[in-house]
Amino acid sequence: MFTLSDLVQPEKLETAYQVLTNKRNNTILGGCAFLKMGSKRISTAIDLSNLNLNYIKEQDGFIEIGAMTSLRELETHILLREQFNGLLPKAVSSIIGVQFRNCVTVGASVFAKYGFSDVITALLALNTEVELYKGGRMPLADFLKQPKVKDILVRLWIKLDTRQATYLNLRKSASDYSILNVAVSKLDNQWTIVVGARPRRASIAIKASAALSQRSLSDAEMEEAANQAAEELAFGTNMRGTAEYRKALCKVLVKRAIMEVASECK
Amino acid sequence: MQITLTINDKLVIWDVEKDEILADTLRSHGLLSVKKACETSCCGLCTVWVEDKSVLSCTTLSVRAHGKKITTIEGVSKDAEDFARVLTAEGSEQCGFCSPGFVMNVLAMKKELVNPSDKEIIHYLTGNLCRCTGYMGQLRAVKTYLGVQ
Amino acid sequence: MNKVGMKSVGHGIRKIDGMAIATGKPVYTLDLAMSNALVVKILRSPHAFAKITTIDTSTAEKVEGVECILTFKDVPKERFTLAGQSYPEPSPYDRLILDEIVRYVGDEVAIIAAVDEKTALQAMKKIKVEYEVWEPVLDFEQALGHASVVHPEEDLHCNFDIGLQKEQNIASSYNEEVGDVEEELKRCSVIVEDVYYPQAQAHAMMETYRAFTSLDHTGRLVVVSSTQVPFHIRRQLARALQLPASKVRVIKPRIGGGFGGKQTGSLEAFAGMVTLKTGKPAMIIYDRKETFSCTTSRHAMRLKTRVGADQEGIIRAIDIQVLSDTGAYGEHAPTVLSCVGHYTLPLYNKTRAVRFTGNAVYTNKMPAGAFRGYGATQGTFALECTVNKLAEKLGMDPTEVRLKNISKVGETFLTGQGVLLGSTTLERCIEKGKELIGWKEKFPSRKLENSKVRAVGMAITMQGSGIANIGTASVELRLNDDGYFTLLSGATDMGTGCDTILTQMASEVLEVPMNHIIFNAGDTDTAPYDPGSYASSTTYLAGAAVVKAAEELKSKILEQGAKFLGVSVQDVEMEGLTVRTLAGEEMSLAKIAELTVLGTGKLQLVSSATHGMDISPPPYVAGFAEVEVDQETGKVELIDYVAVVDCGTVINPKLARIQAEGGIAQGIGMALYEEVIYNAVGKMASNSFMQYKIPCRKDVGKVRIAFEESFEPSGPFGAKSIGEVVANTPPPAIVHAVYNAVGVRVNHLPITPEKVFVGMQKL
């Protein structure tokens, strides 16, 4: 059971940041879906609800998504349904249920860097930047690599390009965590292959992506790229699957995703 | 701390603990339709509406509901009964424990989706677990209620 | 009796409690608890096997708001079983409310009662326990002869010989052989064998376990509990708490599902103990984690199966050897074990020899217990997989093998001691199922474009209807002073709708509308005895009791009516809430009630009946699965499931259909998704709905139910049971379909994508 001694709902980011850094166990609240599972003892919980961070908008060649935007809004927003072949709605639509997705926020999902995350996998296949209150703007991939810091994820910036993309996953039960998830995108000749839930957090298969970008996209080459992705990434074992199986799945899902994007591009 | 809510169209001022969840607050004020069945935000039994959207009341901190409009099945009893009549005609409430949350999500869906397909209905309601019925009878009932084929 | 012209029976009538529960009315245990009840929490063992060397509650007791803390030192020393079974229970008496030895991670160490949950949890943290940690028995295949003995205590007790050998960790053993199996197998031209591992499965009812206890105005213990077995809970508590049963009253309100889980009294004693100690009302609620990891599950088993047949495909010998994992305590261990054979061997009665042997072993894991299907599920999985394998070896269509071998009406079977089969439409069920699934076109498989294969598979199953010579049901019926009726029953509706169907039956016999009958059940103070909702009993046994009682009361009403109308009883009939003479004179039931109950009548018309049977007629299901398997990933998608059911006469088609659909979904969960998993030190890893996935709406594909009604001569209106039999076919039928798709036999449930994938790699 979690406990929480105080809760503030600041009107300014600066205040939120001050409270956050004030004490070690002061914490930003996201959708609180995982709060009950732990026995976290929070001194002051910081609720960002009053900061107007619940929005999705198009601006200056970017899609800007506020940290408090729910995954359900990601799923249903017209802009995201139309862009990138509906990659983001596809990626979040299998997460538990509508009520859950109405509660949980994209900011917390990304900030927590969960290994099982579906949304991070999809965002990595796009040109996504995160904006931290102190840390400023940086590519999502860099953010994922840096150690956990006390900061506030304010919003996401997704470059509004003409990228084609898809998201695939394999789950046992349809509302389970993914055994493995994959997002693949192509902008001009640049491919990005992302594999998540390995069960470690999503990464770009850099070599495979680069190699594929040089190729002519025969079936054999697409398969080769998928195999390369499986070779360059590390896989682990948990309750949902072994490392060996994940590696094998990676080959299949990446290959299928590449083929799907390639056929979208035609 | 004190929060002000509009519960089923009635303005209330309630004292809540800061780490209290909305499901417990609602139950402690006599809204006993609200059920809890997991601690992991994934069964859907506690579904209520916040600002007319289905949410998990076990995942919503009561303090965060301050100033908001909350609706439980007690607040939409006529619509709930209309649907429940169809649901029970199929026998697909069975133990009934998951029904209030399920009914709330069905009513939310009715407002949101127009003429949904089977697939859309199933997708919208996936977050409502049921261990008794196997879901088929619920699908029949929902389709009858919505008047879709 | 038959269904033609019936007004209630055979009709899809809404449940009498349906609208209230569907709209969230406060009718469940927690809704009824007093708000000032103490909150009861349990301190649990972190070790799989240990002895408590010291336990110090003194600091914890000082926490303000703590009312009592109980340890093994404070509880009665008489062992008992939590299994909800008729007395004398076959399950071993191997429990204390709290024991010095803890036998699984989660076993109870101390009971804490406080004014609220936070206080109780705070106090729990301050209890200091030291353990002597012992080597646990975690692998049930290593339990027999393990150096550790799970139940070393001297005072283990069995009501009769169940084959318990505690030094060997054997809770129970069973042996039955008719004919000489080894000799008969030698004569068979085709023999197939294999080993099967049906897994432990969690009931995962939506309402977790809970009970509310208080003392009434005479000092008796009143227990409101979400239970399937109020009368057994009463007897169990009486023994556990060392009270006369007459000092205990158990009330079952509406309950949010049970599936056999609530046939075991997992927590009533803890709250009861607190109320007895403090004199105060107490409420205990298990959270989902405790519900998963500190109650019971289906028995995981290993079944070695051999089936022999002649060249024509006639099955001549069946041999099943079972090892059953009963976990830390023996709830339902002997009976689930024996039911593996009881509910499988009679399916095929052309056999000349059958053998069924097995052990249920103790391990240091959460106890197993009753679960819908009760051994038949595991046995069906093993036998039906083997028969499918046999069909392949014979080069025959698996449906043909069934049709050649199944038992027919009027026939006996080897282990049946001469009992004749009274009803079956299994043959029609198989034919109908073939037609609905499209067996002729689809068997065994067809490849699709996208590296996927579609295939079909099938299985058949049976169960019982009540427990022969043990299960009984009693009801009482009376005509009230206002002309309405009250039907008192101990039957335990857990959402299944028995309150409704028993009312339907009474209404049919009494020829009055259902709303003229008040159905009152679930209170041991007012209801006559009923063992509860289990063993697929209620429709068949309580239903027959209702019919008897209603017929008796009806004849009493006619008799009185005739007297008041001045004619002989042959000249009256019941019609439209009146007793009417052939000449057309009539008297209303209300008037008859008035004249009998009130004033000078002095004769309230009542009837009662107790019903039990020396047979347990089997309902049947033929199940057919169509799956789509991804050859590259091993992912199995269930496309279609057809179950054709023979439950005798269908009393309420709507409720029967939902029972069947729900049972099939539970079987689908067992086949494809569900698994109780422990880590290396015996801690359950699958203790939430995030880690233990029951099927969601997207997981069940399409489930279609059809009924092929038979008429069971011994059943009320020709009815048999339906509650359990519907859970059994999905595991073997889906395994069969997957095999037909990609050639991989998954004998170790559930069928995960990885197992199928690895299997395909090995081909």
Side-chain angles (χ1 to χ4, degrees):
Chain A
M1 203 162 119
F2 74 98
T3 58
L4 187 160
S5 316
D6 202 2
L7 181 131
V8 292
Q9 297 176 306
E11 308 276 336
K12 284 189 175 153
L13 267 169
E14 175 57 27
T15 324
Y17 184 75
Q18 271 169 13
V19 178
L20 175 66
T21 47
N22 220 358
K23 241 182 171 177
R24 195 178 51 81
N25 39 1
N26 290 1
T27 306
I28 306 273
L29 297 179
C32 300
F34 293 122
L35 203 55
K36 294 188 304 307
M37 292 174 223
S39 45
K40 242 183 176 174
R41 301 176 144 275
I42 299 170
S43 297
T44 301
I46 304 147
D47 179 4
L48 307 180
S49 297
N50 293 345
L51 292 166
N52 300 316
L53 291 175
N54 178 1
Y55 65 88
I56 299 173
K57 66 182 177 196
E58 188 182 338
Q59 192 159 298
D60 305 330
F62 285 91
I63 299 172
E64 199 184 316
I65 305 175
M68 292 302 283
T69 307
S70 74
L71 293 189
R72 177 67 180 161
E73 281 159 281
L74 250 59
E75 181 186 2
T76 54
H77 198 280
I78 186 75
L79 190 56
L80 297 177
R81 293 178 83 92
E82 285 173 356
Q83 283 302 316
F84 318 119
N85 317 89
L87 174 76
L88 286 170
K90 240 184 251 173
V92 300
S93 68
S94 293
I95 302 171
I96 313 287
V98 164
Q99 307 95 312
F100 183 89
R101 297 195 293 280
N102 271 333
C103 290
V104 295
T105 63
V106 68
S109 303
V110 172
F111 192 81
K113 301 180 184 177
Y114 294 121
F116 53 75
S117 174
D118 297 290
V119 71
I120 290 176
T121 301
L123 286 168
L124 265 180
L126 305 176
N127 186 344
T128 307
E129 292 172 276
V130 301
E131 181 185 325
L132 301 175
Y133 177 69
K134 274 288 150 184
R137 262 169 85 160
M138 67 182 80
L140 172 61
D142 294 352
F143 168 72
L144 292 174
K145 274 178 217 140
Q146 76 176 25
K148 286 219 166 167
V149 286
K150 280 237 160 184
D151 206 335
I152 302 170
L153 195 159
V154 185
R155 57 183 66 86
L156 300 170
W157 299 83
I158 302 171
K159 183 89 197 293
L160 197 52
D161 50 31
T162 57
R163 196 178 291 261
Q164 303 285 330
T166 195
Y167 167 89
L168 297 177
N169 70 84
L170 193 97
R171 289 167 142 89
K172 288 195 246 183
S173 159
S175 69
D176 198 359
Y177 294 112
S178 296
I179 304 175
L180 196 84
N181 56 36
V182 166
V184 166
S185 71
K186 179 171 182 274
L187 177 65
D188 305 324
N189 280 327
Q190 290 303 308
W191 286 84
T192 307
I193 299 167
V194 186
V195 186
R198 307 188 329 275
R200 269 173 262 179
R201 85 172 64 109
S203 302
I204 300 174
I206 295 169
K207 289 182 204 158
S209 302
L212 188 60
S213 305
Q214 309 298 323
R215 306 260 169 83
S216 63
L217 302 181
S218 67
D219 281 4
E221 282 171 334
M222 289 193 270
E223 194 163 343
E224 173 56 30
N227 292 347
Q228 201 174 349
E231 289 309 322
E232 75 172 282
L233 296 171
F235 299 90
T237 297
N238 69 359
M239 271 168 76
R240 287 176 174 71
T242 63
E244 296 73 29
Y245 180 57
R246 285 194 160 94
K247 187 170 176 180
L249 262 189
C250 175
K251 294 178 189 171
V252 178
L253 296 185
V254 170
K255 181 191 72 184
R256 287 180 182 178
I258 294 172
M259 291 171 103
E260 197 182 316
V261 171
S263 80
E264 285 291 337
C265 290
K266 272 175 195 166
Chain B
M1 69 189 266
Q2 264 192 350
I3 55 168
T4 307
L5 307 164
T6 307
I7 302 270
N8 299 332
D9 294 327
K10 216 172 111 190
L11 196 71
V12 298
I13 301 170
W14 286 346
D15 259 323
V16 297
E17 298 287 332
K18 285 179 173 163
D19 45 15
E20 193 170 314
I21 55 173
L22 185 58
D24 290 345
T25 306
L26 294 171
R27 281 196 67 92
S28 71
H29 287 87
L31 295 160
L32 298 177
S33 70
V34 181
K35 305 286 190 281
K36 292 192 292 178
C38 72
E39 293 86 44
T40 48
S41 306
C42 57
C43 72
L45 266 77
C46 66
T47 302
V48 302
W49 298 345
V50 174
E51 300 293 331
D52 294 324
K53 274 188 194 159
S54 281
V55 302
L56 301 167
S57 63
C58 76
T59 297
T60 307
L61 287 174
S62 302
V63 288
R64 287 179 114 174
H66 174 66
K68 302 224 164 105
K69 176 188 172 192
I70 316 289
T71 312
T72 69
I73 202 170
E74 287 91 345
V76 286
S77 51
K78 188 182 170 300
D79 289 346
E81 276 171 26
D82 285 347
F83 174 56
R85 216 165 283 122
V86 186
L87 186 72
T88 54
E90 280 295 338
S92 52
E93 78 286 11
Q94 272 245 21
C95 85
F97 204 69
C98 73
S99 294
F102 176 68
V103 171
M104 289 308 281
N105 208 29
V106 168
L107 298 182
M109 177 177 71
K110 191 185 178 209
K111 291 193 289 180
E112 202 174 322
L113 306 184
V114 182
N115 211 7
S117 64
D118 281 17
K119 207 175 161 192
E120 287 168 320
I121 293 169
I122 290 167
H123 180 70
Y124 200 101
L125 301 173
T126 291
N128 293 90
L129 293 180
C130 164
R131 186 58 154 172
C132 292
T133 67
Y135 305 115
M136 293 293 137
Q138 294 185 348
L139 181 62
R140 290 193 292 274
V142 169
K143 287 168 74 175
T144 306
Y145 176 63
L146 297 179
V148 297
Q149 281 310 301
Chain C
M1 272 179 283
N2 64 56
K3 266 182 15 175
V4 179
M6 290 198 291
K7 291 193 173 122
S8 298
V9 166
H11 295 266
I13 290 162
R14 174 183 284 118
K15 289 202 297 159
I16 57 178
D17 55 348
M19 286 301 287
I21 60 176
T23 56
K25 297 295 183 285
V27 289
Y28 298 86
T29 302
L30 180 58
D31 305 335
L32 305 176
M34 294 174 199
S35 58
N36 65 343
L38 297 174
V39 173
V40 180
K41 291 280 165 189
I42 306 291
L43 174 67
R44 299 184 176 280
S45 168
H47 305 294
F49 198 23
K51 186 177 176 186
I52 298 168
T53 51
T54 62
I55 182 160
D56 177 5
T57 58
S58 56
T59 323
E61 276 161 2
K62 287 187 193 121
V63 174
E64 197 185 323
V66 170
E67 286 281 336
C68 82
I69 297 180
L70 305 169
T71 71
F72 69 88
K73 297 166 193 162
D74 306 305
V75 301
K77 302 293 177 235
E78 283 290 326
R79 288 194 184 268
F80 58 95
T81 178
L82 293 177
Q85 298 180 300
S86 295
Y87 183 80
E89 304 96 326
S91 298
Y93 287 5
D94 55 10
R95 290 233 184 214
L96 295 171
I97 297 174
L98 297 169
D99 203 342
E100 199 174 359
I101 297 173
V102 285
R103 295 182 178 80
Y104 74 100
V105 177
D107 208 352
E108 295 85 12
V109 172
I111 304 167
I112 302 118
V115 288
D116 59 30
E117 186 177 7
K118 269 190 179 166
T119 308
L121 292 175
Q122 199 190 338
M124 188 191 294
K125 284 194 188 131
K126 294 182 195 277
I127 300 174
K128 295 186 197 87
V129 193
E130 280 173 36
Y131 299 92
E132 182 183 305
V133 178
W134 295 345
E135 171 74 24
V137 184
L138 295 178
D139 178 354
F140 79 113
E141 295 186 87
Q142 303 295 322
L144 228 152
H146 196 284
S148 291
V149 174
V150 178
H151 280 276
E153 62 271 18
E154 289 303 312
D155 54 347
L156 268 188
H157 170 79
C158 297
N159 285 321
F160 46 86
D161 184 15
I162 55 166
L164 184 140
Q165 299 171 58
K166 67 177 183 182
E167 287 77 17
Q168 293 289 311
N169 286 320
I170 295 174
S172 176
S173 61
Y174 189 87
N175 291 293
E176 185 173 20
E177 182 168 8
V178 180
D180 187 331
V181 164
E182 295 302 335
E183 279 307 310
E184 194 55 41
L185 282 169
K186 281 179 200 158
R187 284 193 281 271
C188 289
S189 40
V190 181
I191 299 169
V192 287
E193 58 185 301
D194 220 328
V195 186
Y196 301 92
Y197 290 86
Q199 78 280 39
Q201 184 184 22
H203 306 86
M205 68 295 278
M206 285 296 129
E207 183 197 33
T208 59
Y209 296 80
R210 52 197 60 195
F212 163 63
T213 54
S214 61
L215 297 179
D216 74 4
H217 55 286
T218 64
R220 293 166 71 231
L221 181 66
V222 181
V223 181
V224 180
S225 175
S226 179
T227 180
Q228 295 173 226
V229 285
F231 282 92
H232 293 334
I233 294 295
R234 182 173 73 151
R235 193 184 61 251
Q236 198 174 89
L237 284 177
R239 182 173 171 93
L241 301 169
Q242 296 287 292
L243 292 171
S246 62
K247 294 283 183 199
V248 183
R249 174 185 183 187
V250 178
I251 298 169
K252 178 227 62 124
R254 295 297 93 191
I255 76 174
F259 313 112
K262 293 173 183 173
Q263 196 193 336
T264 301
S266 291
L267 50 55
E268 289 85 352
F270 305 129
M273 191 77 205
V274 166
T275 290
L276 289 184
K277 286 273 176 186
T278 63
K280 294 183 180 178
M283 179 81 212
I284 186 164
I285 303 177
Y286 274 7
D287 61 19
R288 183 56 63 184
K289 191 172 158 188
E290 286 173 303
T291 295
F292 269 117
S293 57
C294 311
T295 58
T296 57
S297 68
R298 193 187 289 289
H299 290 78
M301 289 186 189
R302 179 191 70 198
L303 303 101
K304 295 183 177 172
T305 308
R306 282 193 296 173
V307 172
D310 65 20
Q311 266 165 341
E312 277 69 52
I314 304 297
I315 296 170
R316 293 303 186 191
I318 301 175
D319 185 21
I320 305 175
Q321 291 174 46
V322 182
L323 186 70
S324 172
D325 185 354
T326 194
Y329 299 95
E331 271 89 27
H332 302 275
T335 35
V336 168
L337 175 64
S338 58
C339 284
V340 171
H342 287 339
Y343 294 144
T344 50
L345 296 175
L347 269 176
Y348 304 113
N349 69 342
K350 314 293 177 281
T351 44
R352 291 181 176 138
V354 294
R355 180 167 59 192
F356 170 68
T357 62
N359 290 313
V361 290
Y362 283 122
T363 57
N364 292 110
K365 290 185 289 185
M366 182 176 85
F371 193 136
R372 190 183 206 172
Y374 207 84
T377 312
Q378 295 96 322
T380 299
F381 174 58
L383 180 61
E384 287 300 283
C385 284
T386 313
V387 172
N388 283 329
K389 206 172 168 180
L390 174 74
E392 192 190 28
K393 201 162 178 187
L394 285 163
M396 285 175 67
D397 186 307
T399 61
E400 290 307 312
V401 174
R402 266 65 176 214
L403 291 170
K404 277 193 173 193
N405 285 285
I406 54 175
S407 304
K408 307 277 162 54
V409 170
E411 292 179 354
T412 58
F413 56 95
L414 280 185
T415 51
Q417 294 165 336
V419 170
L420 304 180
L421 184 58
S423 63
T424 172
T425 56
L426 182 55
E427 196 175 326
R428 271 158 52 197
C429 292
I430 295 170
E431 295 292 2
K432 180 82 177 175
K434 282 175 77 169
E435 184 192 316
L436 287 172
I437 201 86
W439 186 261
K440 273 188 193 150
E441 307 82 65
K442 293 177 180 170
F443 177 77
S445 69
R446 62 193 195 285
K447 281 200 166 38
L448 305 182
E449 292 290 301
N450 48 0
S451 75
K452 290 180 179 171
V453 190
R454 281 207 181 184
V456 290
M458 63 91 59
I460 59 171
T461 190
M462 59 173 278
Q463 197 87 29
S465 302
I467 307 173
N469 298 312
I470 292 174
T472 59
S474 301
V475 299
E476 290 169 19
L477 188 58
R478 64 172 182 250
L479 178 64
N480 296 323
D481 59 320
D482 58 355
Y484 280 59
F485 296 86
T486 295
L487 175 55
L488 291 165
S489 158
T492 312
D493 197 330
M494 52 172 161
T496 44
C498 64
D499 289 3
T500 305
I501 61 145
L502 294 176
T503 308
Q504 280 179 264
M505 292 191 210
S507 150
E508 195 64 53
V509 176
L510 291 168
E511 300 184 69
V512 300
M514 281 176 69
N515 62 12
H516 279 243
I517 300 166
I518 301 156
F519 188 84
N520 184 303
D523 182 342
T524 57
D525 266 13
T526 54
Y529 177 81
D530 189 289
S533 198
Y534 66 91
S536 293
S537 308
T538 304
T539 302
Y540 180 70
L541 291 180
V546 166
V547 170
K548 275 189 192 170
E551 280 172 345
E552 184 190 330
L553 185 59
K554 184 180 168 184
S555 69
K556 285 183 178 173
I557 292 168
L558 287 172
E559 206 175 295
Q560 286 300 316
K563 212 162 96 188
F564 292 134
L565 290 165
V567 294
S568 83
V569 72
Q570 293 88 334
D571 297 331
V572 290
E573 56 185 18
M574 299 248 303
E575 204 186 308
L577 300 172
T578 65
V579 170
R580 177 184 297 227
T581 67
L582 298 177
E585 274 185 280
E586 60 180 41
M587 181 179 274
S588 70
L589 290 182
K591 190 68 189 171
I592 293 171
E594 182 193 321
L595 294 175
T596 49
V597 180
L598 308 173
T600 56
K602 297 176 199 147
L603 178 69
Q604 179 152 22
L605 298 182
V606 297
S607 68
S608 68
T610 299
H611 186 77
M613 288 298 294
D614 53 5
I615 55 169
S616 175
Y620 295 99
V621 172
F624 293 80
E626 182 177 9
V627 300
E628 186 173 298
V629 185
D630 186 329
Q631 289 179 288
E632 290 186 321
T633 64
K635 171 75 181 168
V636 176
E637 195 188 338
L638 183 66
I639 303 295
D640 194 7
Y641 201 94
V642 168
V644 188
V645 183
D646 164 19
C647 58
T649 299
V650 179
I651 302 293
N652 184 324
K654 287 283 166 87
L655 303 186
R657 173 173 308 271
I658 295 290
Q659 275 283 67
E661 289 172 349
I664 296 298
Q666 246 168 5
I668 291 170
M670 184 173 173
L672 291 171
Y673 310 111
E674 300 179 32
E675 189 173 20
V676 174
I677 298 171
Y678 292 87
N679 72 9
V681 291
K683 184 171 180 293
M684 192 184 289
S686 52
N687 59 12
S688 75
F689 280 135
M690 299 296 267
Q691 308 298 355
Y692 183 98
K693 299 307 287 189
I694 64 168
C696 73
R697 227 164 275 268
K698 289 177 182 166
D699 292 326
V700 292
K702 183 168 68 174
V703 176
R704 295 186 287 158
I705 306 297
F707 291 96
E708 283 294 333
E709 289 181 275
S710 62
F711 189 90
E712 169 53 42
S714 68
F717 300 94
K720 299 187 281 192
S721 79
I722 189 165
E724 294 183 274
V725 71
V726 287
N728 300 337
T729 58
I734 295 172
V735 162
H736 189 211
V738 170
Y739 173 75
N740 289 334
V742 293
V744 176
R745 285 186 207 279
V746 180
N747 289 359
H748 210 134
L749 294 175
I751 311 165
T752 62
E754 182 161 1
K755 285 178 197 166
V756 177
F757 178 84
V758 170
M760 289 189 295
Q761 300 295 300
K762 286 183 186 155
L763 289 176

